[in-house]
Amino acid sequence: CKSGQICFSAEDPITMLRSFNPIARKVLSASASSASSRCPKAHHFSSNITRLGTDVLPTMSQAVVHNGVVYLSGQVDGTAEDLVGQTKNVLAKIDGYLDEAGTDKSKLLTSTIWLKDIEKDFGAMNEVWNSWIDPENKPVRATTEASLARPNLLVEIQVTASLD
């Protein structure tokens, strides 16, 4: 590694994880040249990030593609008045962003679903989800109850997917 680069061994995941932390990055950068002498198979990160949907909200991207993984922000819908309509609209948004990123729901890795009222709405959301999801390629999933950003929002869904 050259001075100023973040270096780590492929066999050293702790150092790799620390390199993502801005404070640790400064410490690691200071010792980068000594890291290369300790780690003959040293690597460094290059920035290869694509951001999609940056014009939707001023605070975030709707999707980020990095190292073959598509990360979607939590998707909501404020146009439908009921949970079934909101869930269908959110899943349509997810389909659109996945398509724009170059993948689809058959390559989902993870999903997180937040419901405003899990006791009341879990069954209806799950029915819509089950009709949408690829039955041969189900992601891991967590569903929980949460206070959402606006009172009219009933569901929020966030997913990650592979490009491969």
Side-chain angles (χ1 to χ4, degrees):
C1 291
K2 297 177 185 173
S3 179
Q5 289 181 324
I6 299 168
C7 299
F8 62 91
S9 166
E11 293 79 36
D12 188 4
I14 300 300
T15 302
M16 180 180 75
L17 292 173
R18 287 182 183 151
S19 70
F20 289 109
N21 179 310
I23 295 169
R25 186 175 297 130
K26 289 181 182 179
V27 173
L28 291 170
S29 292
S31 63
S33 59
S34 66
S36 65
S37 63
R38 289 182 313 210
C39 306
K41 294 181 181 177
H43 303 278
H44 69 276
F45 286 109
S46 63
S47 181
N48 186 13
I49 300 171
T50 303
R51 300 176 192 282
L52 306 171
T54 57
D55 57 342
V56 176
L57 293 171
T59 55
M60 63 190 199
S61 299
Q62 295 299 301
V64 173
V65 182
H66 182 254
N67 285 340
V69 179
V70 179
Y71 304 88
L72 265 61
S73 65
Q75 298 298 311
V76 297
D77 173 65
T79 62
E81 293 187 20
D82 67 333
L83 176 92
V84 170
Q86 285 189 18
T87 304
K88 287 179 179 180
N89 291 346
V90 165
L91 295 173
K93 281 184 178 182
I94 289 171
D95 280 333
Y97 285 118
L98 291 174
D99 183 60
E100 186 177 349
T103 191
D104 60 55
K105 64 186 172 189
S106 72
K107 296 178 183 167
L108 289 180
L109 303 170
T110 67
S111 59
T112 305
I113 302 171
W114 295 273
L115 294 169
K116 183 175 182 176
D117 187 337
I118 198 165
E119 187 174 330
K120 176 182 156 200
D121 293 332
F122 182 81
M125 177 282 303
N126 213 38
E127 192 172 310
V128 175
W129 174 267
N130 287 337
S131 68
W132 174 79
I133 197 71
D134 179 340
E136 301 299 317
N137 297 291
K138 298 173 186 172
V140 296
R141 185 181 103 177
T143 305
T144 190
E145 181 172 295
S147 295
L148 300 178
R150 295 190 314 264
N152 65 321
L153 298 177
L154 304 174
V155 61
E156 180 171 348
I157 302 175
Q158 180 181 36
V159 301
T160 60
S162 175
L163 287 175
D164 301 328

